[in-house]
Amino acid sequence: MGNDKDFGVVVLISGSGSNLQAIIDARLPISLRAVISNKANAYGLERARQAGIPTEVIDHRDYASRADFDAVLQQHIDHYQPELVVLAGFMRILTDGLVEHYRGRMINIHPSLLPKYRGTNTHARAIEAGDAVAGCSVHWVTPELDAGPVLLQAEVPIHPGDSADTLAARVLEQEHKIYPEAIRRIASGEIRWQQ
Ligand code: NHR
Ligand code: GAR
């Protein structure tokens, strides 16, 4: 492992993992140390295996509380001593304790032009509101949901006749460009947490 690979990254997923795939395919000068999913059937786990990245499943349903789940999740992440934790379609809200532990070291990609449409169902809400543009945002994770500082965004047009699915596909294409780019900039020191 060369020095350029010493920027350790752990990726958290819950589903398809197409953003994970984009990060793998970008061949960034980082070390993808592990992919952790809260869902055993997440297709992203298969993508990680194909790429030779260690995988772990921590099923939130095995824990009595969010705090219990997060304590175990934190232990497993810390085992890999990552410089950066990347949420890529990770669908569990994280408790303040875990988020504080990774303050300035955890990012998320969210499928809206934040601060618009925090939370879920972003595409349907943008169409319903009659917006002309939609997009995606990479942001630092802070305790308040989808409210941390934005570090990169991309816009796409909303076309007449768009459904949430057709819009989501257009936005996802941009996600696959800006998420690897955001990680590249953080790893190179071009972007850092300031607060
Ligand atoms: N946790 C904190 N504290 N802060 C953020 O900014 C977070 C976070 C955890 C996840 C991703 C986020 C998104 O990009 C994210 C940002 C899940 C939900 C949610 O409602 C909302 C936002 C995000 C992720 N999750 C439900 C829950 O009860 C479960 C939904 C499901 O399983 O489908 O945790 O949008
Ligand atoms: C992406 O669109 C991502 O922005 C979104 O889920 C999709 C995951 O796709 N994230 C959230 O909605 C987080 N709440 P992927 O698993 O193929 O990367």
Side-chain angles (χ1 to χ4, degrees), residues 14 38-39 60 66 70 87-96 98-99 106-111 114 117-122 137 139-148:
S14 298
N38 66 311
K39 302 233 168 150
H60 58 277
R66 284 183 189 266
D70 280 10
L87 308 187
F90 181 70
M91 292 308 294
R92 296 302 295 174
I93 296 172
L94 298 164
T95 56
D96 294 6
L98 183 144
V99 172
M106 181 180 270
I107 59 174
N108 177 46
I109 189 151
H110 181 74
L114 289 172
Y117 312 124
R118 294 173 180 163
T120 53
N121 272 322
T122 53
S137 309
H139 66 92
W140 297 104
V141 175
T142 59
E144 195 186 342
L145 196 62
D146 297 329

mmCIF file of all heavy atoms in Angstrom, residues 14 38-39 60 66 70 87-96 98-99 106-111 114 117-122 137 139-148, ligand 1:
data_model
loop_
_atom_site.group_PDB
_atom_site.id
_atom_site.type_symbol
_atom_site.label_atom_id
_atom_site.label_comp_id
_atom_site.label_asym_id
_atom_site.label_seq_id
_atom_site.Cartn_x
_atom_site.Cartn_y
_atom_site.Cartn_z
ATOM 1 N N SER A 14 -27.213 1.262 2.374
ATOM 2 C CA SER A 14 -28.402 0.486 2.730
ATOM 3 C C SER A 14 -28.990 -0.232 1.516
ATOM 4 O O SER A 14 -29.869 -1.069 1.668
ATOM 5 C CB SER A 14 -29.499 1.387 3.301
ATOM 6 O OG SER A 14 -29.082 2.027 4.483
ATOM 7 N N ASN A 38 -26.620 -1.728 6.799
ATOM 8 C CA ASN A 38 -27.588 -2.143 7.824
ATOM 9 C C ASN A 38 -28.593 -3.139 7.250
ATOM 10 O O ASN A 38 -29.443 -3.631 7.981
ATOM 11 C CB ASN A 38 -28.311 -0.925 8.417
ATOM 12 C CG ASN A 38 -29.201 -0.220 7.409
ATOM 13 O OD1 ASN A 38 -28.770 0.077 6.301
ATOM 14 N ND2 ASN A 38 -30.435 0.040 7.785
ATOM 15 N N LYS A 39 -28.462 -3.431 5.949
ATOM 16 C CA LYS A 39 -29.350 -4.408 5.306
ATOM 17 C C LYS A 39 -28.517 -5.518 4.675
ATOM 18 O O LYS A 39 -27.647 -5.240 3.832
ATOM 19 C CB LYS A 39 -30.181 -3.737 4.205
ATOM 20 C CG LYS A 39 -31.019 -2.585 4.715
ATOM 21 C CD LYS A 39 -32.458 -2.751 4.314
ATOM 22 C CE LYS A 39 -33.320 -1.760 5.070
ATOM 23 N NZ LYS A 39 -34.485 -1.344 4.364
ATOM 24 N N HIS A 60 -29.917 -3.077 12.022
ATOM 25 C CA HIS A 60 -30.432 -2.237 13.120
ATOM 26 C C HIS A 60 -31.544 -2.940 13.888
ATOM 27 O O HIS A 60 -31.780 -2.649 15.058
ATOM 28 C CB HIS A 60 -30.931 -0.904 12.566
ATOM 29 C CG HIS A 60 -32.010 -1.034 11.534
ATOM 30 N ND1 HIS A 60 -31.743 -1.286 10.209
ATOM 31 C CD2 HIS A 60 -33.351 -0.975 11.638
ATOM 32 C CE1 HIS A 60 -32.883 -1.367 9.541
ATOM 33 N NE2 HIS A 60 -33.870 -1.182 10.379
ATOM 34 N N ARG A 66 -31.746 3.027 18.987
ATOM 35 C CA ARG A 66 -30.840 3.656 18.015
ATOM 36 C C ARG A 66 -29.459 3.820 18.630
ATOM 37 O O ARG A 66 -28.446 3.641 17.961
ATOM 38 C CB ARG A 66 -31.394 5.012 17.584
ATOM 39 C CG ARG A 66 -32.537 4.893 16.602
ATOM 40 C CD ARG A 66 -33.014 6.263 16.145
ATOM 41 N NE ARG A 66 -34.243 6.137 15.385
ATOM 42 C CZ ARG A 66 -34.303 6.045 14.054
ATOM 43 N NH1 ARG A 66 -33.206 6.087 13.326
ATOM 44 N NH2 ARG A 66 -35.463 5.917 13.442
ATOM 45 N N ASP A 70 -26.030 2.401 17.130
ATOM 46 C CA ASP A 70 -24.959 3.330 16.768
ATOM 47 C C ASP A 70 -23.660 3.019 17.510
ATOM 48 O O ASP A 70 -22.569 3.211 16.961
ATOM 49 C CB ASP A 70 -25.395 4.774 17.039
ATOM 50 C CG ASP A 70 -26.281 5.320 15.928
ATOM 51 O OD1 ASP A 70 -26.706 4.522 15.066
ATOM 52 O OD2 ASP A 70 -26.546 6.544 15.911
ATOM 53 N N LEU A 87 -21.476 8.364 3.766
ATOM 54 C CA LEU A 87 -22.827 7.804 3.697
ATOM 55 C C LEU A 87 -23.262 7.806 2.233
ATOM 56 O O LEU A 87 -23.313 8.865 1.602
ATOM 57 C CB LEU A 87 -23.827 8.632 4.520
ATOM 58 C CG LEU A 87 -23.486 8.950 5.979
ATOM 59 C CD1 LEU A 87 -24.680 9.641 6.664
ATOM 60 C CD2 LEU A 87 -23.101 7.698 6.752
ATOM 61 N N ALA A 88 -23.558 6.632 1.692
ATOM 62 C CA ALA A 88 -23.919 6.523 0.272
ATOM 63 C C ALA A 88 -25.231 5.748 0.163
ATOM 64 O O ALA A 88 -25.234 4.526 0.018
ATOM 65 C CB ALA A 88 -22.798 5.839 -0.517
ATOM 66 N N GLY A 89 -26.337 6.494 0.295
ATOM 67 C CA GLY A 89 -27.635 5.824 0.308
ATOM 68 C C GLY A 89 -27.863 5.086 1.616
ATOM 69 O O GLY A 89 -28.556 4.070 1.659
ATOM 70 N N PHE A 90 -27.279 5.605 2.688
ATOM 71 C CA PHE A 90 -27.465 5.004 4.015
ATOM 72 C C PHE A 90 -28.739 5.584 4.618
ATOM 73 O O PHE A 90 -28.909 6.806 4.659
ATOM 74 C CB PHE A 90 -26.265 5.304 4.910
ATOM 75 C CG PHE A 90 -26.372 4.688 6.280
ATOM 76 C CD1 PHE A 90 -26.267 3.308 6.447
ATOM 77 C CD2 PHE A 90 -26.582 5.479 7.401
ATOM 78 C CE1 PHE A 90 -26.369 2.737 7.711
ATOM 79 C CE2 PHE A 90 -26.680 4.914 8.669
ATOM 80 C CZ PHE A 90 -26.578 3.541 8.823
ATOM 81 N N MET A 91 -29.655 4.721 5.041
ATOM 82 C CA MET A 91 -31.021 5.165 5.334
ATOM 83 C C MET A 91 -31.393 5.215 6.816
ATOM 84 O O MET A 91 -32.563 5.363 7.146
ATOM 85 C CB MET A 91 -32.022 4.289 4.576
ATOM 86 C CG MET A 91 -31.991 4.464 3.056
ATOM 87 S SD MET A 91 -32.117 6.179 2.459
ATOM 88 C CE MET A 91 -33.781 6.568 3.002
ATOM 89 N N ARG A 92 -30.437 5.116 7.717
ATOM 90 C CA ARG A 92 -30.760 5.230 9.144
ATOM 91 C C ARG A 92 -30.300 6.576 9.683
ATOM 92 O O ARG A 92 -29.138 6.967 9.510
ATOM 93 C CB ARG A 92 -30.059 4.129 9.967
ATOM 94 C CG ARG A 92 -30.489 2.729 9.650
ATOM 95 C CD ARG A 92 -31.969 2.486 9.840
ATOM 96 N NE ARG A 92 -32.404 2.610 11.232
ATOM 97 C CZ ARG A 92 -33.679 2.558 11.602
ATOM 98 N NH1 ARG A 92 -34.635 2.409 10.704
ATOM 99 N NH2 ARG A 92 -34.007 2.649 12.869
ATOM 100 N N ILE A 93 -31.200 7.275 10.356
ATOM 101 C CA ILE A 93 -30.829 8.508 11.033
ATOM 102 C C ILE A 93 -29.867 8.163 12.175
ATOM 103 O O ILE A 93 -30.108 7.211 12.919
ATOM 104 C CB ILE A 93 -32.079 9.233 11.566
ATOM 105 C CG1 ILE A 93 -32.972 9.653 10.393
ATOM 106 C CG2 ILE A 93 -31.694 10.432 12.415
ATOM 107 C CD1 ILE A 93 -34.329 10.197 10.811
ATOM 108 N N LEU A 94 -28.779 8.920 12.282
ATOM 109 C CA LEU A 94 -27.734 8.633 13.264
ATOM 110 C C LEU A 94 -27.883 9.525 14.489
ATOM 111 O O LEU A 94 -28.268 10.702 14.378
ATOM 112 C CB LEU A 94 -26.365 8.845 12.620
ATOM 113 C CG LEU A 94 -26.074 7.909 11.431
ATOM 114 C CD1 LEU A 94 -24.907 8.429 10.601
ATOM 115 C CD2 LEU A 94 -25.806 6.486 11.918
ATOM 116 N N THR A 95 -27.566 8.961 15.659
ATOM 117 C CA THR A 95 -27.705 9.715 16.908
ATOM 118 C C THR A 95 -26.583 10.758 17.031
ATOM 119 O O THR A 95 -25.516 10.630 16.433
ATOM 120 C CB THR A 95 -27.646 8.781 18.129
ATOM 121 O OG1 THR A 95 -26.423 8.041 18.062
ATOM 122 C CG2 THR A 95 -28.818 7.815 18.141
ATOM 123 N N ASP A 96 -26.848 11.770 17.858
ATOM 124 C CA ASP A 96 -25.905 12.871 18.031
ATOM 125 C C ASP A 96 -24.518 12.381 18.447
ATOM 126 O O ASP A 96 -23.507 12.916 18.001
ATOM 127 C CB ASP A 96 -26.414 13.847 19.097
ATOM 128 C CG ASP A 96 -27.685 14.563 18.670
ATOM 129 O OD1 ASP A 96 -28.230 14.215 17.600
ATOM 130 O OD2 ASP A 96 -28.142 15.455 19.403
ATOM 131 N N LEU A 98 -22.839 9.595 17.836
ATOM 132 C CA LEU A 98 -22.041 9.071 16.729
ATOM 133 C C LEU A 98 -21.627 10.203 15.794
ATOM 134 O O LEU A 98 -20.474 10.285 15.367
ATOM 135 C CB LEU A 98 -22.810 7.983 15.971
ATOM 136 C CG LEU A 98 -22.016 7.318 14.836
ATOM 137 C CD1 LEU A 98 -22.347 5.830 14.720
ATOM 138 C CD2 LEU A 98 -22.267 8.003 13.511
ATOM 139 N N VAL A 99 -22.568 11.078 15.483
ATOM 140 C CA VAL A 99 -22.265 12.171 14.553
ATOM 141 C C VAL A 99 -21.168 13.073 15.127
ATOM 142 O O VAL A 99 -20.248 13.490 14.410
ATOM 143 C CB VAL A 99 -23.545 12.967 14.219
ATOM 144 C CG1 VAL A 99 -23.212 14.218 13.425
ATOM 145 C CG2 VAL A 99 -24.526 12.099 13.434
ATOM 146 N N MET A 106 -17.324 13.046 8.345
ATOM 147 C CA MET A 106 -18.431 12.256 7.792
ATOM 148 C C MET A 106 -19.220 13.100 6.801
ATOM 149 O O MET A 106 -19.599 14.232 7.121
ATOM 150 C CB MET A 106 -19.352 11.764 8.920
ATOM 151 C CG MET A 106 -20.519 10.915 8.445
ATOM 152 S SD MET A 106 -21.570 10.352 9.817
ATOM 153 C CE MET A 106 -20.789 8.802 10.222
ATOM 154 N N ILE A 107 -19.448 12.540 5.596
ATOM 155 C CA ILE A 107 -20.218 13.253 4.572
ATOM 156 C C ILE A 107 -21.372 12.383 4.078
ATOM 157 O O ILE A 107 -21.376 11.162 4.238
ATOM 158 C CB ILE A 107 -19.337 13.693 3.377
ATOM 159 C CG1 ILE A 107 -18.661 12.502 2.709
ATOM 160 C CG2 ILE A 107 -18.325 14.737 3.805
ATOM 161 C CD1 ILE A 107 -17.887 12.858 1.422
ATOM 162 N N ASN A 108 -22.354 13.074 3.458
ATOM 163 C CA ASN A 108 -23.534 12.403 2.907
ATOM 164 C C ASN A 108 -23.840 12.994 1.546
ATOM 165 O O ASN A 108 -23.540 14.160 1.297
ATOM 166 C CB ASN A 108 -24.730 12.627 3.848
ATOM 167 C CG ASN A 108 -26.022 12.030 3.312
ATOM 168 O OD1 ASN A 108 -26.039 10.888 2.841
ATOM 169 N ND2 ASN A 108 -27.112 12.790 3.359
ATOM 170 N N ILE A 109 -24.450 12.183 0.666
ATOM 171 C CA ILE A 109 -25.012 12.754 -0.561
ATOM 172 C C ILE A 109 -26.519 12.675 -0.456
ATOM 173 O O ILE A 109 -27.084 11.636 -0.108
ATOM 174 C CB ILE A 109 -24.491 12.103 -1.857
ATOM 175 C CG1 ILE A 109 -24.969 12.929 -3.056
ATOM 176 C CG2 ILE A 109 -24.888 10.632 -1.980
ATOM 177 C CD1 ILE A 109 -24.070 12.895 -4.257
ATOM 178 N N HIS A 110 -27.140 13.817 -0.703
ATOM 179 C CA HIS A 110 -28.584 13.929 -0.529
ATOM 180 C C HIS A 110 -29.205 14.357 -1.859
ATOM 181 O O HIS A 110 -28.712 15.293 -2.490
ATOM 182 C CB HIS A 110 -28.895 14.947 0.567
ATOM 183 C CG HIS A 110 -30.356 15.102 0.820
ATOM 184 N ND1 HIS A 110 -31.095 14.143 1.481
ATOM 185 C CD2 HIS A 110 -31.227 16.068 0.474
ATOM 186 C CE1 HIS A 110 -32.359 14.539 1.537
ATOM 187 N NE2 HIS A 110 -32.472 15.705 0.930
ATOM 188 N N PRO A 111 -30.303 13.700 -2.281
ATOM 189 C CA PRO A 111 -30.847 13.961 -3.610
ATOM 190 C C PRO A 111 -31.770 15.171 -3.687
ATOM 191 O O PRO A 111 -32.921 15.062 -4.126
ATOM 192 C CB PRO A 111 -31.585 12.655 -3.933
ATOM 193 C CG PRO A 111 -32.027 12.140 -2.610
ATOM 194 C CD PRO A 111 -30.961 12.555 -1.628
ATOM 195 N N LEU A 114 -30.094 21.141 -1.376
ATOM 196 C CA LEU A 114 -30.220 21.630 0.007
ATOM 197 C C LEU A 114 -29.950 23.138 0.028
ATOM 198 O O LEU A 114 -29.138 23.610 -0.757
ATOM 199 C CB LEU A 114 -29.235 20.877 0.906
ATOM 200 C CG LEU A 114 -29.576 19.408 1.165
ATOM 201 C CD1 LEU A 114 -28.435 18.705 1.912
ATOM 202 C CD2 LEU A 114 -30.889 19.262 1.944
ATOM 203 N N TYR A 117 -35.821 20.568 0.683
ATOM 204 C CA TYR A 117 -36.204 19.152 0.753
ATOM 205 C C TYR A 117 -35.224 18.273 1.528
ATOM 206 O O TYR A 117 -34.582 17.380 0.980
ATOM 207 C CB TYR A 117 -36.424 18.588 -0.666
ATOM 208 C CG TYR A 117 -37.293 19.483 -1.501
ATOM 209 C CD1 TYR A 117 -36.845 19.963 -2.727
ATOM 210 C CD2 TYR A 117 -38.536 19.887 -1.041
ATOM 211 C CE1 TYR A 117 -37.632 20.815 -3.494
ATOM 212 C CE2 TYR A 117 -39.330 20.745 -1.799
ATOM 213 C CZ TYR A 117 -38.863 21.203 -3.018
ATOM 214 O OH TYR A 117 -39.626 22.047 -3.764
ATOM 215 N N ARG A 118 -35.086 18.578 2.799
ATOM 216 C CA ARG A 118 -34.387 17.645 3.689
ATOM 217 C C ARG A 118 -35.247 16.398 3.859
ATOM 218 O O ARG A 118 -36.457 16.446 3.609
ATOM 219 C CB ARG A 118 -34.154 18.307 5.042
ATOM 220 C CG ARG A 118 -33.193 19.486 4.936
ATOM 221 C CD ARG A 118 -33.101 20.241 6.256
ATOM 222 N NE ARG A 118 -32.163 21.360 6.126
ATOM 223 C CZ ARG A 118 -32.100 22.382 6.969
ATOM 224 N NH1 ARG A 118 -32.908 22.431 8.019
ATOM 225 N NH2 ARG A 118 -31.219 23.338 6.781
ATOM 226 N N GLY A 119 -34.631 15.310 4.299
ATOM 227 C CA GLY A 119 -35.412 14.086 4.569
ATOM 228 C C GLY A 119 -35.654 13.258 3.323
ATOM 229 O O GLY A 119 -34.845 13.269 2.408
ATOM 230 N N THR A 120 -36.776 12.572 3.268
ATOM 231 C CA THR A 120 -37.018 11.600 2.198
ATOM 232 C C THR A 120 -38.018 12.139 1.165
ATOM 233 O O THR A 120 -38.563 13.236 1.327
ATOM 234 C CB THR A 120 -37.542 10.275 2.806
ATOM 235 O OG1 THR A 120 -38.655 10.580 3.618
ATOM 236 C CG2 THR A 120 -36.494 9.602 3.651
ATOM 237 N N ASN A 121 -38.240 11.372 0.086
ATOM 238 C CA ASN A 121 -39.218 11.725 -0.964
ATOM 239 C C ASN A 121 -38.916 13.034 -1.672
ATOM 240 O O ASN A 121 -39.834 13.756 -2.074
ATOM 241 C CB ASN A 121 -40.619 11.878 -0.352
ATOM 242 C CG ASN A 121 -41.327 10.562 -0.329
ATOM 243 O OD1 ASN A 121 -41.199 9.787 -1.267
ATOM 244 N ND2 ASN A 121 -42.040 10.311 0.752
ATOM 245 N N THR A 122 -37.647 13.326 -1.842
ATOM 246 C CA THR A 122 -37.237 14.638 -2.338
ATOM 247 C C THR A 122 -37.741 14.919 -3.758
ATOM 248 O O THR A 122 -38.158 16.034 -4.053
ATOM 249 C CB THR A 122 -35.700 14.736 -2.329
ATOM 250 O OG1 THR A 122 -35.182 13.600 -3.043
ATOM 251 C CG2 THR A 122 -35.166 14.707 -0.904
ATOM 252 N N SER A 137 -26.773 17.246 -3.421
ATOM 253 C CA SER A 137 -25.839 17.997 -2.577
ATOM 254 C C SER A 137 -24.972 17.038 -1.774
ATOM 255 O O SER A 137 -25.487 16.075 -1.208
ATOM 256 C CB SER A 137 -26.604 18.868 -1.568
ATOM 257 O OG SER A 137 -27.587 19.667 -2.197
ATOM 258 N N HIS A 139 -22.880 17.030 1.632
ATOM 259 C CA HIS A 139 -22.777 17.876 2.827
ATOM 260 C C HIS A 139 -22.093 17.141 3.965
ATOM 261 O O HIS A 139 -22.135 15.909 4.043
ATOM 262 C CB HIS A 139 -24.171 18.372 3.259
ATOM 263 C CG HIS A 139 -25.100 17.291 3.748
ATOM 264 N ND1 HIS A 139 -25.194 16.946 5.079
ATOM 265 C CD2 HIS A 139 -25.962 16.479 3.097
ATOM 266 C CE1 HIS A 139 -26.080 15.972 5.214
ATOM 267 N NE2 HIS A 139 -26.565 15.666 4.033
ATOM 268 N N TRP A 140 -21.472 17.914 4.844
ATOM 269 C CA TRP A 140 -20.936 17.357 6.083
ATOM 270 C C TRP A 140 -22.113 16.928 6.947
ATOM 271 O O TRP A 140 -23.140 17.623 7.002
ATOM 272 C CB TRP A 140 -20.105 18.410 6.836
ATOM 273 C CG TRP A 140 -18.898 18.874 6.084
ATOM 274 C CD1 TRP A 140 -18.750 20.067 5.435
ATOM 275 C CD2 TRP A 140 -17.649 18.185 5.912
ATOM 276 N NE1 TRP A 140 -17.497 20.149 4.870
ATOM 277 C CE2 TRP A 140 -16.796 19.008 5.145
ATOM 278 C CE3 TRP A 140 -17.168 16.941 6.332
ATOM 279 C CZ2 TRP A 140 -15.493 18.634 4.790
ATOM 280 C CZ3 TRP A 140 -15.867 16.570 5.977
ATOM 281 C CH2 TRP A 140 -15.053 17.405 5.223
ATOM 282 N N VAL A 141 -21.993 15.818 7.617
ATOM 283 C CA VAL A 141 -23.075 15.327 8.473
ATOM 284 C C VAL A 141 -22.957 15.963 9.846
ATOM 285 O O VAL A 141 -21.889 15.931 10.472
ATOM 286 C CB VAL A 141 -23.041 13.789 8.578
ATOM 287 C CG1 VAL A 141 -24.088 13.294 9.568
ATOM 288 C CG2 VAL A 141 -23.278 13.166 7.202
ATOM 289 N N THR A 142 -24.042 16.581 10.276
ATOM 290 C CA THR A 142 -24.148 17.175 11.609
ATOM 291 C C THR A 142 -25.386 16.567 12.267
ATOM 292 O O THR A 142 -26.183 15.909 11.585
ATOM 293 C CB THR A 142 -24.277 18.716 11.518
ATOM 294 O OG1 THR A 142 -25.441 19.024 10.745
ATOM 295 C CG2 THR A 142 -23.050 19.341 10.856
ATOM 296 N N PRO A 143 -25.567 16.765 13.582
ATOM 297 C CA PRO A 143 -26.703 16.096 14.237
ATOM 298 C C PRO A 143 -28.054 16.398 13.586
ATOM 299 O O PRO A 143 -28.896 15.516 13.464
ATOM 300 C CB PRO A 143 -26.627 16.609 15.674
ATOM 301 C CG PRO A 143 -25.163 16.842 15.890
ATOM 302 C CD PRO A 143 -24.669 17.382 14.567
ATOM 303 N N GLU A 144 -28.263 17.635 13.149
ATOM 304 C CA GLU A 144 -29.548 17.962 12.523
ATOM 305 C C GLU A 144 -29.582 17.403 11.098
ATOM 306 O O GLU A 144 -28.659 17.639 10.303
ATOM 307 C CB GLU A 144 -29.750 19.486 12.491
ATOM 308 C CG GLU A 144 -31.182 19.870 12.196
ATOM 309 C CD GLU A 144 -31.363 21.369 12.024
ATOM 310 O OE1 GLU A 144 -30.480 22.137 12.458
ATOM 311 O OE2 GLU A 144 -32.380 21.763 11.449
ATOM 312 N N LEU A 145 -30.648 16.672 10.790
ATOM 313 C CA LEU A 145 -30.756 15.907 9.553
ATOM 314 C C LEU A 145 -30.601 16.774 8.300
ATOM 315 O O LEU A 145 -31.340 17.749 8.130
ATOM 316 C CB LEU A 145 -32.136 15.238 9.539
ATOM 317 C CG LEU A 145 -32.327 14.106 8.547
ATOM 318 C CD1 LEU A 145 -31.382 12.965 8.844
ATOM 319 C CD2 LEU A 145 -33.769 13.624 8.580
ATOM 320 N N ASP A 146 -29.649 16.387 7.434
ATOM 321 C CA ASP A 146 -29.447 17.042 6.135
ATOM 322 C C ASP A 146 -29.256 18.553 6.265
ATOM 323 O O ASP A 146 -29.628 19.313 5.358
ATOM 324 C CB ASP A 146 -30.629 16.744 5.196
ATOM 325 C CG ASP A 146 -30.754 15.264 4.881
ATOM 326 O OD1 ASP A 146 -29.724 14.589 4.856
ATOM 327 O OD2 ASP A 146 -31.894 14.790 4.671
ATOM 328 N N ALA A 147 -28.700 18.999 7.382
ATOM 329 C CA ALA A 147 -28.563 20.432 7.636
ATOM 330 C C ALA A 147 -27.105 20.874 7.730
ATOM 331 O O ALA A 147 -26.826 22.057 7.907
ATOM 332 C CB ALA A 147 -29.297 20.805 8.915
ATOM 333 N N GLY A 148 -26.156 19.957 7.593
ATOM 334 C CA GLY A 148 -24.741 20.322 7.699
ATOM 335 C C GLY A 148 -24.275 21.118 6.481
ATOM 336 O O GLY A 148 -24.948 21.138 5.449
HETATM 337 N N1 NHR B 1 -27.951 11.405 10.596
HETATM 338 C C1 NHR B 1 -27.735 12.627 11.069
HETATM 339 N N2 NHR B 1 -27.682 12.766 12.402
HETATM 340 N N3 NHR B 1 -27.619 13.723 10.291
HETATM 341 C C2 NHR B 1 -27.722 13.602 8.964
HETATM 342 O O1 NHR B 1 -27.590 14.682 8.201
HETATM 343 C C3 NHR B 1 -27.970 12.322 8.383
HETATM 344 C C4 NHR B 1 -28.065 11.224 9.255
HETATM 345 C C5 NHR B 1 -28.339 9.945 8.765
HETATM 346 C C6 NHR B 1 -28.538 9.759 7.408
HETATM 347 C C7 NHR B 1 -28.820 10.632 5.091
HETATM 348 C C8 NHR B 1 -30.200 11.240 4.845
HETATM 349 C C9 NHR B 1 -30.465 11.624 3.396
HETATM 350 O O2 NHR B 1 -29.547 11.826 2.602
HETATM 351 C C10 NHR B 1 -28.456 10.846 6.528
HETATM 352 C C11 NHR B 1 -28.159 12.127 7.000
HETATM 353 C C12 NHR B 1 -32.448 8.568 6.339
HETATM 354 C C13 NHR B 1 -33.554 9.286 6.713
HETATM 355 C C14 NHR B 1 -34.713 8.622 7.416
HETATM 356 O O3 NHR B 1 -35.755 9.223 7.596
HETATM 357 C C15 NHR B 1 -33.548 10.648 6.475
HETATM 358 C C16 NHR B 1 -32.472 11.268 5.878
HETATM 359 C C17 NHR B 1 -31.340 10.524 5.497
HETATM 360 C C18 NHR B 1 -31.356 9.161 5.726
HETATM 361 N N4 NHR B 1 -34.573 7.342 7.850
HETATM 362 C C19 NHR B 1 -35.574 6.558 8.564
HETATM 363 C C20 NHR B 1 -35.175 6.344 10.041
HETATM 364 O O4 NHR B 1 -36.104 6.126 10.847
HETATM 365 C C21 NHR B 1 -35.728 5.181 7.970
HETATM 366 C C22 NHR B 1 -36.159 5.222 6.536
HETATM 367 C C23 NHR B 1 -35.991 3.873 5.841
HETATM 368 O O5 NHR B 1 -35.451 2.917 6.419
HETATM 369 O O6 NHR B 1 -36.349 3.807 4.649
HETATM 370 O O7 NHR B 1 -33.965 6.311 10.372
HETATM 371 O O8 NHR B 1 -31.634 11.815 3.019
#
